[in-house]
Amino acid sequence: MNHFELTGGELACEGVSLRRIAEDVGTPVYVYSTATLERHYQVLREALVGAGLGDPLIAYAVKANSNVAVLRTLGRLGAGADTVSEGEIRRALAAQIPADRILFSGVGKTAAEIAFALDAGVLEINIESEPELELVEKVARDKGVRADVALRVNPDVKAGAHDKISTGKADSKFGVALQDVGRLYARAANSAGLNPVGLACHIGSQISDLASMEEAARKMRGLVEGLRAEGLSVERLDLGGGLGVPYFNQPEPPSPAEYAARIAAVVGDLGVQLAFEPGRMIAANAGVLVAKVLYVIARPDGRRFVVLDAAMNDLLRPAMYDAFHDIRPVRPREGEALAYDVVGPICETGDTFARDRRLPPLEAGDLVAFMTAGAYGATMSSEYNSRPLTPEVLVNGDRWAVVRARPSYEDMLSRESSPDWL
Ligand code: LLP
Protein backbone atom coordinates (compact mmCIF):
# COMPACT_ATOMS: atom_id res chain seq x y z
CA MET A 1 0.00 0.00 0.00
CA ASN A 2 1.21 3.45 -0.90
CA HIS A 3 0.97 6.22 1.68
CA PHE A 4 1.84 8.95 -0.85
CA GLU A 5 -1.30 9.50 -2.87
CA LEU A 6 -3.20 12.25 -4.66
CA THR A 7 -5.88 13.54 -2.33
CA GLY A 8 -8.09 16.31 -3.64
CA GLY A 9 -5.77 16.78 -6.63
CA GLU A 10 -2.70 17.17 -4.42
CA LEU A 11 -0.03 14.68 -3.40
CA ALA A 12 -0.25 13.89 0.30
CA CYS A 13 1.78 11.84 2.73
CA GLU A 14 -0.80 9.88 4.72
CA GLY A 15 -3.25 12.58 5.83
CA VAL A 16 -1.00 15.60 5.27
CA SER A 17 -0.65 17.57 2.05
CA LEU A 18 2.95 17.92 0.91
CA ARG A 19 2.14 21.51 -0.09
CA ARG A 20 1.25 22.36 3.51
CA ILE A 21 4.56 20.98 4.75
CA ALA A 22 6.46 22.81 2.01
CA GLU A 23 4.75 26.08 2.88
CA ASP A 24 5.56 25.71 6.55
CA VAL A 25 9.08 24.30 6.42
CA GLY A 26 10.24 25.55 3.04
CA THR A 27 11.86 23.51 0.29
CA PRO A 28 13.74 21.31 -0.30
CA VAL A 29 12.40 19.06 2.45
CA TYR A 30 12.37 15.32 3.08
CA VAL A 31 9.03 13.90 4.20
CA TYR A 32 8.69 10.41 5.73
CA SER A 33 5.62 8.27 6.30
CA THR A 34 5.35 6.46 9.63
CA ALA A 35 2.73 4.06 8.23
CA THR A 36 5.06 2.97 5.41
CA LEU A 37 8.04 2.48 7.73
CA GLU A 38 5.92 0.40 10.08
CA ARG A 39 4.35 -1.60 7.32
CA HIS A 40 7.66 -2.50 5.68
CA TYR A 41 9.12 -3.66 8.98
CA GLN A 42 6.04 -5.71 9.78
CA VAL A 43 5.75 -7.28 6.32
CA LEU A 44 9.36 -8.43 6.54
CA ARG A 45 8.98 -9.70 10.07
CA GLU A 46 5.79 -11.62 9.24
CA ALA A 47 7.44 -13.11 6.15
CA LEU A 48 10.47 -14.33 8.13
CA VAL A 49 8.45 -15.66 11.03
CA GLY A 50 5.89 -17.15 8.64
CA ALA A 51 8.65 -19.01 6.80
CA GLY A 52 9.52 -20.72 10.06
CA LEU A 53 12.68 -18.73 10.77
CA GLY A 54 12.00 -18.46 14.49
CA ASP A 55 12.55 -15.10 16.14
CA PRO A 56 14.98 -13.35 13.80
CA LEU A 57 16.74 -10.11 14.65
CA ILE A 58 15.84 -7.44 12.12
CA ALA A 59 18.67 -4.99 12.57
CA TYR A 60 17.64 -2.03 10.42
CA ALA A 61 20.65 -0.63 8.51
CA VAL A 62 20.93 2.84 10.02
CA LYS A 63 22.91 4.19 7.07
CA ALA A 64 19.78 4.08 4.89
CA ASN A 65 17.98 6.69 6.98
CA SER A 66 19.50 7.57 10.31
CA ASN A 67 17.05 10.17 11.56
CA VAL A 68 16.50 9.46 15.26
CA ALA A 69 12.71 9.70 14.90
CA VAL A 70 12.81 7.12 12.10
CA LEU A 71 14.97 4.85 14.26
CA ARG A 72 12.62 5.33 17.18
CA THR A 73 9.61 4.43 14.99
CA LEU A 74 11.27 1.15 14.02
CA GLY A 75 12.80 0.46 17.42
CA ARG A 76 9.37 0.62 19.04
CA LEU A 77 8.28 -2.24 16.79
CA GLY A 78 11.20 -4.35 17.96
CA ALA A 79 13.77 -3.54 15.31
CA GLY A 80 17.44 -3.63 16.14
CA ALA A 81 20.08 -1.57 14.36
CA ASP A 82 22.96 -2.41 12.06
CA THR A 83 25.52 0.34 12.61
CA VAL A 84 28.83 1.21 10.99
CA SER A 85 30.23 4.00 13.13
CA GLU A 86 30.17 5.39 16.65
CA GLY A 87 27.84 8.06 15.34
CA GLU A 88 25.33 5.46 14.19
CA ILE A 89 25.57 3.56 17.49
CA ARG A 90 24.90 6.82 19.30
CA ARG A 91 21.90 7.49 17.08
CA ALA A 92 20.47 4.02 17.71
CA LEU A 93 20.94 4.43 21.47
CA ALA A 94 19.43 7.94 21.33
CA ALA A 95 16.41 6.33 19.66
CA GLN A 96 16.20 3.95 22.64
CA ILE A 97 17.08 0.86 20.64
CA PRO A 98 18.52 -1.48 23.29
CA ALA A 99 22.24 -2.14 22.94
CA ASP A 100 21.57 -5.87 22.79
CA ARG A 101 19.81 -5.34 19.47
CA ILE A 102 22.67 -3.32 17.95
CA LEU A 103 25.20 -4.84 15.56
CA PHE A 104 28.45 -3.03 14.84
CA SER A 105 29.60 -3.63 11.25
CA GLY A 106 32.05 -1.86 8.96
CA VAL A 107 35.43 -2.41 7.37
CA GLY A 108 37.34 0.34 9.17
CA LYS A 109 36.41 0.54 12.83
CA THR A 110 38.81 2.55 14.97
CA ALA A 111 40.05 1.50 18.40
CA ALA A 112 37.98 4.30 19.95
CA GLU A 113 34.85 3.11 18.18
CA ILE A 114 35.44 -0.50 19.24
CA ALA A 115 35.92 0.65 22.85
CA PHE A 116 32.72 2.68 22.64
CA ALA A 117 30.77 -0.30 21.25
CA LEU A 118 32.06 -2.58 24.01
CA ASP A 119 31.20 -0.05 26.72
CA ALA A 120 27.73 0.36 25.22
CA GLY A 121 27.26 -3.41 25.29
CA VAL A 122 26.33 -4.00 21.65
CA LEU A 123 25.09 -7.47 20.71
CA GLU A 124 28.04 -8.28 18.48
CA ILE A 125 30.88 -6.72 16.54
CA ASN A 126 31.05 -8.00 12.97
CA ILE A 127 34.76 -8.38 12.28
CA GLU A 128 35.85 -7.90 8.70
CA SER A 129 39.56 -8.78 8.66
CA GLU A 130 42.43 -10.33 10.57
CA PRO A 131 43.99 -7.01 11.64
CA GLU A 132 40.62 -5.89 12.90
CA LEU A 133 40.27 -9.12 14.85
CA GLU A 134 43.60 -8.36 16.51
CA LEU A 135 42.51 -4.83 17.37
CA VAL A 136 39.15 -5.92 18.85
CA GLU A 137 40.98 -8.55 20.87
CA LYS A 138 43.43 -5.98 22.21
CA VAL A 139 40.78 -3.40 23.08
CA ALA A 140 38.65 -6.06 24.81
CA ARG A 141 41.60 -7.48 26.76
CA ASP A 142 42.64 -4.00 27.90
CA LYS A 143 39.12 -3.62 29.27
CA GLY A 144 39.17 -7.10 30.79
CA VAL A 145 36.15 -8.23 28.79
CA ARG A 146 35.44 -10.83 26.13
CA ALA A 147 33.87 -9.25 23.06
CA ASP A 148 31.02 -11.09 21.34
CA VAL A 149 32.07 -11.11 17.72
CA ALA A 150 30.94 -12.52 14.39
CA LEU A 151 33.11 -12.90 11.33
CA ARG A 152 31.82 -11.07 8.30
CA VAL A 153 32.57 -13.35 5.41
CA ASN A 154 33.15 -12.37 1.81
CA PRO A 155 31.18 -15.19 0.16
CA ASP A 156 32.42 -14.34 -3.35
CA VAL A 157 28.97 -13.87 -4.85
CA LYS A 158 28.14 -11.12 -7.33
CA ALA A 159 25.00 -9.14 -6.52
CA GLY A 160 23.66 -5.62 -6.50
CA ALA A 161 22.28 -3.19 -9.03
CA HIS A 162 25.44 -1.17 -9.52
CA ASP A 163 29.18 -1.87 -9.15
CA LYS A 164 29.44 0.82 -6.50
CA ILE A 165 27.00 -1.04 -4.24
CA SER A 166 28.15 -4.64 -4.82
CA THR A 167 30.01 -5.91 -1.78
CA GLY A 168 30.16 -9.69 -1.93
CA LYS A 169 32.73 -10.43 -4.65
CA ALA A 170 36.17 -11.71 -3.69
CA ASP A 171 37.81 -8.54 -5.05
CA SER A 172 35.75 -6.17 -2.89
CA LYS A 173 37.16 -4.70 0.32
CA PHE A 174 34.57 -6.39 2.53
CA GLY A 175 34.81 -9.42 4.73
CA VAL A 176 37.09 -12.32 5.47
CA ALA A 177 37.98 -14.62 2.55
CA LEU A 178 36.18 -17.96 2.56
CA GLN A 179 39.41 -19.91 3.09
CA ASP A 180 40.35 -17.84 6.16
CA VAL A 181 37.09 -18.30 8.05
CA GLY A 182 37.98 -21.56 9.85
CA ARG A 183 41.39 -20.35 11.01
CA LEU A 184 40.16 -16.94 12.22
CA TYR A 185 37.08 -18.34 13.95
CA ALA A 186 39.23 -20.87 15.81
CA ARG A 187 41.68 -18.12 16.69
CA ALA A 188 38.83 -16.05 18.14
CA ALA A 189 37.52 -19.05 20.07
CA ASN A 190 40.95 -19.49 21.67
CA SER A 191 41.33 -15.84 22.60
CA ALA A 192 40.72 -14.51 26.09
CA GLY A 193 39.40 -11.28 24.54
CA LEU A 194 37.00 -12.71 21.97
CA ASN A 195 33.86 -14.83 22.01
CA PRO A 196 32.86 -15.81 18.47
CA VAL A 197 29.08 -16.12 18.29
CA GLY A 198 28.50 -16.46 14.57
CA LEU A 199 29.00 -15.47 10.98
CA ALA A 200 27.72 -12.58 8.89
CA CYS A 201 27.62 -11.59 5.24
CA HIS A 202 26.16 -8.83 3.08
CA ILE A 203 26.55 -9.21 -0.65
CA GLY A 204 25.20 -5.97 -2.05
CA SER A 205 22.29 -3.60 -2.34
CA GLN A 206 19.23 -3.17 -4.57
CA ILE A 207 19.31 -6.91 -5.28
CA SER A 208 16.51 -8.22 -7.47
CA ASP A 209 17.87 -11.68 -8.02
CA LEU A 210 17.17 -14.15 -5.24
CA ALA A 211 19.57 -16.69 -6.73
CA SER A 212 22.57 -14.65 -5.51
CA MET A 213 21.06 -14.39 -2.01
CA GLU A 214 20.47 -18.12 -2.04
CA GLU A 215 24.00 -18.86 -3.19
CA ALA A 216 25.41 -16.73 -0.38
CA ALA A 217 23.16 -18.45 2.17
CA ARG A 218 24.27 -21.83 0.89
CA LYS A 219 27.93 -20.89 1.25
CA MET A 220 27.26 -19.56 4.76
CA ARG A 221 25.53 -22.80 5.66
CA GLY A 222 28.55 -24.76 4.50
CA LEU A 223 30.79 -22.61 6.69
CA VAL A 224 28.58 -23.04 9.75
CA GLU A 225 28.61 -26.81 9.30
CA GLY A 226 32.36 -26.80 8.78
CA LEU A 227 32.98 -24.81 11.97
CA ARG A 228 30.66 -27.05 13.96
CA ALA A 229 32.46 -30.12 12.64
CA GLU A 230 35.60 -28.60 14.21
CA GLY A 231 33.77 -28.44 17.54
CA LEU A 232 33.20 -24.68 17.36
CA SER A 233 29.91 -23.16 18.41
CA VAL A 234 27.95 -20.98 15.95
CA GLU A 235 24.82 -19.42 17.42
CA ARG A 236 23.93 -16.63 15.04
CA LEU A 237 23.93 -16.20 11.28
CA ASP A 238 23.54 -12.67 9.91
CA LEU A 239 22.57 -12.64 6.23
CA GLY A 240 22.84 -8.86 5.78
CA GLY A 241 20.45 -6.64 3.86
CA GLY A 242 20.21 -5.87 0.19
CA LEU A 243 16.69 -6.65 -0.95
CA GLY A 244 15.77 -4.23 -3.75
CA VAL A 245 12.80 -1.92 -4.03
CA PRO A 246 10.88 -0.77 -7.12
CA TYR A 247 12.11 2.62 -8.36
CA PHE A 248 9.17 2.71 -10.81
CA ASN A 249 11.23 2.09 -13.96
CA GLN A 250 12.19 -1.42 -12.92
CA PRO A 251 10.49 -4.78 -12.60
CA GLU A 252 9.03 -5.53 -9.17
CA PRO A 253 11.76 -6.92 -6.92
CA PRO A 254 11.13 -10.19 -5.11
CA SER A 255 8.65 -9.92 -2.25
CA PRO A 256 9.75 -10.38 1.36
CA ALA A 257 7.72 -13.63 1.37
CA GLU A 258 9.66 -15.05 -1.61
CA TYR A 259 12.90 -13.93 -0.01
CA ALA A 260 12.01 -15.53 3.33
CA ALA A 261 10.95 -18.78 1.68
CA ARG A 262 14.21 -19.06 -0.28
CA ILE A 263 16.29 -18.33 2.81
CA ALA A 264 14.27 -20.75 4.92
CA ALA A 265 14.82 -23.52 2.37
CA VAL A 266 18.59 -23.14 2.74
CA VAL A 267 19.21 -22.33 6.40
CA GLY A 268 15.85 -22.88 8.13
CA ASP A 269 16.94 -26.08 9.86
CA LEU A 270 20.42 -24.90 10.87
CA GLY A 271 19.59 -24.20 14.49
CA VAL A 272 20.96 -20.66 14.53
CA GLN A 273 19.37 -17.34 15.38
CA LEU A 274 19.06 -15.49 12.09
CA ALA A 275 19.78 -11.79 11.75
CA PHE A 276 19.02 -9.48 8.83
CA GLU A 277 20.20 -5.95 8.06
CA PRO A 278 17.61 -4.40 5.75
CA GLY A 279 17.91 -0.71 4.99
CA ARG A 280 16.48 0.27 1.63
CA MET A 281 13.46 -2.04 1.71
CA ILE A 282 12.32 -0.46 4.98
CA ALA A 283 13.02 3.19 4.28
CA ALA A 284 13.15 3.90 0.53
CA ASN A 285 9.46 4.04 -0.27
CA ALA A 286 8.72 5.67 3.07
CA GLY A 287 10.21 8.98 2.00
CA VAL A 288 10.05 11.69 -0.64
CA LEU A 289 12.09 14.79 -1.30
CA VAL A 290 9.89 17.80 -2.05
CA ALA A 291 11.41 20.58 -4.14
CA LYS A 292 10.22 23.72 -5.84
CA VAL A 293 10.56 24.62 -9.51
CA LEU A 294 12.66 27.80 -9.73
CA TYR A 295 12.77 28.21 -13.51
CA VAL A 296 11.59 26.49 -16.63
CA ILE A 297 14.07 27.28 -19.39
CA ALA A 298 13.15 26.67 -23.02
CA ARG A 299 16.14 26.36 -25.37
CA PRO A 300 15.98 27.14 -29.09
CA ASP A 301 16.73 23.48 -29.89
CA GLY A 302 13.55 22.46 -28.07
CA ARG A 303 15.21 21.17 -24.92
CA ARG A 304 13.42 22.19 -21.71
CA PHE A 305 15.25 22.48 -18.42
CA VAL A 306 13.46 22.54 -15.09
CA VAL A 307 15.73 24.07 -12.47
CA LEU A 308 14.73 23.00 -8.97
CA ASP A 309 15.75 24.31 -5.57
CA ALA A 310 16.94 20.77 -4.71
CA ALA A 311 20.32 19.62 -5.93
CA MET A 312 22.75 16.71 -5.92
CA ASN A 313 23.85 17.70 -2.42
CA ASP A 314 20.30 16.95 -1.22
CA LEU A 315 19.77 13.73 -3.23
CA LEU A 316 23.02 12.31 -4.55
CA ARG A 317 21.81 8.99 -5.98
CA PRO A 318 21.11 10.11 -9.57
CA ALA A 319 24.53 11.81 -9.86
CA MET A 320 26.42 9.00 -8.14
CA TYR A 321 24.73 5.85 -9.45
CA ASP A 322 22.66 7.14 -12.39
CA ALA A 323 19.75 6.17 -10.17
CA PHE A 324 16.17 6.67 -11.33
CA HIS A 325 13.71 8.44 -9.02
CA ASP A 326 10.14 8.95 -10.10
CA ILE A 327 9.31 12.69 -10.11
CA ARG A 328 5.73 13.74 -9.49
CA PRO A 329 4.21 17.20 -9.41
CA VAL A 330 2.56 17.78 -6.04
CA ARG A 331 -0.44 19.30 -7.86
CA PRO A 332 -0.34 17.93 -11.41
CA ARG A 333 -1.50 20.44 -14.02
CA GLU A 334 -3.85 19.53 -16.82
CA GLY A 335 -2.25 19.24 -20.23
CA GLU A 336 -0.03 17.12 -22.36
CA ALA A 337 3.09 15.63 -20.78
CA LEU A 338 6.32 17.23 -21.96
CA ALA A 339 9.92 16.04 -21.90
CA TYR A 340 12.02 17.88 -19.33
CA ASP A 341 15.62 17.77 -18.15
CA VAL A 342 15.25 18.08 -14.39
CA VAL A 343 18.31 19.70 -12.83
CA GLY A 344 19.51 21.33 -9.65
CA PRO A 345 21.27 24.67 -9.23
CA ILE A 346 24.76 23.30 -8.51
CA CYS A 347 27.57 24.30 -10.81
CA GLU A 348 28.27 20.98 -12.50
CA THR A 349 26.48 18.99 -15.15
CA GLY A 350 26.34 15.98 -12.81
CA ASP A 351 23.68 17.89 -10.91
CA THR A 352 21.04 16.37 -13.17
CA PHE A 353 18.18 14.32 -11.76
CA ALA A 354 16.62 13.21 -15.03
CA ARG A 355 17.02 13.71 -18.79
CA ASP A 356 14.08 13.81 -21.19
CA ARG A 357 11.65 12.85 -18.45
CA ARG A 358 8.01 13.11 -19.55
CA LEU A 359 6.10 15.03 -16.91
CA PRO A 360 2.85 16.97 -16.73
CA PRO A 361 3.46 20.65 -17.61
CA LEU A 362 5.49 22.48 -14.97
CA GLU A 363 5.73 26.16 -14.14
CA ALA A 364 7.93 28.19 -11.82
CA GLY A 365 6.69 27.87 -8.24
CA ASP A 366 5.29 24.35 -8.71
CA LEU A 367 6.26 21.69 -6.20
CA VAL A 368 7.55 18.28 -7.23
CA ALA A 369 8.28 15.17 -5.19
CA PHE A 370 11.13 12.74 -5.78
CA MET A 371 9.67 9.38 -4.87
CA THR A 372 11.48 6.48 -3.17
CA ALA A 373 13.90 8.91 -1.57
CA GLY A 374 13.59 7.72 2.04
CA ALA A 375 16.73 5.56 1.86
CA TYR A 376 20.19 6.96 1.08
CA GLY A 377 18.65 10.38 0.51
CA ALA A 378 19.11 12.59 3.57
CA THR A 379 21.91 10.37 4.88
CA MET A 380 24.06 10.98 1.81
CA SER A 381 23.38 14.69 1.64
CA SER A 382 26.04 17.32 2.13
CA GLU A 383 26.50 21.07 2.23
CA TYR A 384 28.17 21.21 -1.18
CA ASN A 385 27.91 24.72 -2.64
CA SER A 386 27.30 25.85 0.96
CA ARG A 387 23.71 24.77 0.81
CA PRO A 388 22.39 24.03 4.32
CA LEU A 389 21.34 20.42 5.01
CA THR A 390 17.77 19.58 4.01
CA PRO A 391 15.26 19.43 6.86
CA GLU A 392 13.30 16.24 7.55
CA VAL A 393 9.63 15.86 8.48
CA LEU A 394 7.89 12.78 9.87
CA VAL A 395 4.18 12.29 9.19
CA ASN A 396 1.92 10.07 11.25
CA GLY A 397 -1.69 10.08 10.06
CA ASP A 398 -2.85 13.70 10.25
CA ARG A 399 0.08 14.73 12.43
CA TRP A 400 3.49 15.85 11.32
CA ALA A 401 6.63 17.15 12.96
CA VAL A 402 9.98 18.54 11.87
CA VAL A 403 12.44 15.86 12.98
CA ARG A 404 15.53 17.64 11.68
CA ALA A 405 15.44 21.38 11.37
CA ARG A 406 17.04 23.24 8.49
CA PRO A 407 20.28 24.69 9.86
CA SER A 408 20.61 28.43 9.61
CA TYR A 409 23.51 30.02 7.73
CA GLU A 410 24.82 31.10 11.15
CA ASP A 411 24.83 27.43 12.27
CA MET A 412 26.72 26.50 9.14
CA LEU A 413 29.35 29.20 9.54
CA SER A 414 29.72 28.81 13.31
CA ARG A 415 31.66 25.55 12.87
CA GLU A 416 34.47 27.33 11.08
CA SER A 417 37.07 29.81 12.23
CA SER A 418 40.12 31.55 10.87
CA PRO A 419 43.56 30.82 12.35
CA ASP A 420 45.22 33.67 14.24
CA TRP A 421 47.66 34.43 11.39
CA LEU A 422 44.85 35.58 9.17
N1 LLP B 1 24.45 -4.26 5.92
C1 LLP B 1 25.62 -3.80 5.47
C2 LLP B 1 26.85 -4.33 6.05
C3 LLP B 1 25.66 -2.85 4.44
O1 LLP B 1 26.83 -2.43 3.98
C4 LLP B 1 24.44 -2.35 3.90
C5 LLP B 1 24.44 -1.34 2.84
C6 LLP B 1 23.23 -2.84 4.42
C7 LLP B 1 23.28 -3.80 5.42
C8 LLP B 1 21.89 -2.37 3.93
O2 LLP B 1 21.68 -2.67 2.60
P1 LLP B 1 20.25 -2.38 1.95
O3 LLP B 1 19.27 -3.33 2.59
O4 LLP B 1 19.90 -0.99 2.22
O5 LLP B 1 20.44 -2.66 0.51
N2 LLP B 1 24.14 4.41 -1.11
C9 LLP B 1 23.72 3.31 -1.94
C10 LLP B 1 23.50 2.03 -1.15
C11 LLP B 1 24.70 1.61 -0.36
C12 LLP B 1 24.49 0.39 0.47
C13 LLP B 1 25.65 0.17 1.38
N3 LLP B 1 25.50 -0.91 2.30
C14 LLP B 1 22.46 3.70 -2.72
O6 LLP B 1 22.00 4.83 -2.56
O7 LLP B 1 21.96 2.93 -3.51
Side-chain angles (χ1 to χ4, degrees), residues 110-146:
T110 66
E113 288 180 312
I114 294 164
F116 180 83
L118 291 176
D119 289 342
V122 301
L123 179 68
E124 86 191 18
I125 298 180
N126 287 351
I127 288 182
E128 299 235 6
S129 66
E130 188 160 12
E132 190 196 355
L133 183 141
E134 286 162 6
L135 182 58
V136 175
E137 178 176 41
K138 179 177 180 319
V139 174
R141 290 189 69 155
D142 288 350
K143 288 186 177 295
V145 298
R146 240 178 136 185

Side-chain angles (χ1 to χ4, degrees), residues 61 63 82 105 152 165 202 204-206 241-243 277-280 317 321 376 380:
K63 62 170 77 69
D82 171 52
S105 309
R152 169 159 176 195
I165 55 175
H202 169 79
S205 200
Q206 187 55 14
L243 203 59
E277 303 170 354
R280 192 189 312 266
R317 304 191 69 257
Y321 315 112
Y376 307 109
M380 293 180 74

